Amino acid sequence: MSIPSESGAPADDRAAEHAAVVDLETEDWQQRQRFLRRLSWTISWVLPVLALIVGIALTANGTIAQETPAGGGFVDVTFLTVWPAGLTLLGSGLLGTVAVAIATAVLAEKRATAGPPAS
């Protein structure tokens, strides 16, 4: 015999409803965590790879010509040296890519030794 609560529902039904709400909140939290984890790993891979690509392009190019109209049909050309910025981006992109690869390998190894999550 169950004792009705103030709202008229039995206490067992309230416990079951509470457990269902907790399960939904836990599942929602896990989905948010999974989304944030994937987003952070995507960003941590994309940024160093982009820096690497831009660094290669700037280092290979060396200089950029900037044209400004000088009047009378003439153009004033200024050459900007971009290879130092290219080398900097190349180095930071390479170091970032290596760092993310090491972190990925360590986390994958940690997950493999931990086994499946307990239910």
Side-chain angles (χ1 to χ4, degrees), residues 51-86:
L52 193 62
I53 291 169
V54 171
I56 290 170
L58 290 178
T59 304
N61 197 4
T63 59
I64 295 176
Q66 179 183 8
E67 299 177 353
T68 54
F74 291 103
V75 177
D76 187 24
V77 179
T78 306
F79 289 99
L80 302 172
T81 305
V82 293
W83 66 266

Side-chain angles (χ1 to χ4, degrees), residues 44-115:
S44 64
W45 272 106
V46 167
L47 285 178
V49 170
L50 277 176
L52 193 62
I53 291 169
V54 171
I56 290 170
L58 290 178
T59 304
N61 197 4
T63 59
I64 295 176
Q66 179 183 8
E67 299 177 353
T68 54
F74 291 103
V75 177
D76 187 24
V77 179
T78 306
F79 289 99
L80 302 172
T81 305
V82 293
W83 66 266
L87 284 179
T88 303
L89 285 171
L90 187 65
S92 66
L94 186 64
L95 286 174
T97 304
V98 169
V100 174
I102 290 172
T104 302
V106 168
L107 285 176
E109 182 178 311
K110 183 178 175 182
R111 287 184 189 145
T113 58

Side-chain angles (χ1 to χ4, degrees), residues 15 27 33 72 118:
E27 183 178 325
Q33 289 295 107

Side-chain angles (χ1 to χ4, degrees), residues 9-50:
D12 292 340
D13 290 344
R14 280 191 324 179
E17 288 175 10
H18 179 68
V21 168
V22 168
D23 287 342
L24 287 175
E25 288 175 355
T26 303
E27 183 178 325
D28 185 42
W29 180 80
Q30 288 173 345
Q31 287 177 350
R32 272 189 265 133
Q33 289 295 107
R34 189 177 308 120
F35 170 76
L36 290 175
R37 192 178 316 119
R38 287 179 181 168
L39 178 67
S40 66
W41 276 110
T42 302
I43 290 172
S44 64
W45 272 106
V46 167
L47 285 178
V49 170
L50 277 176

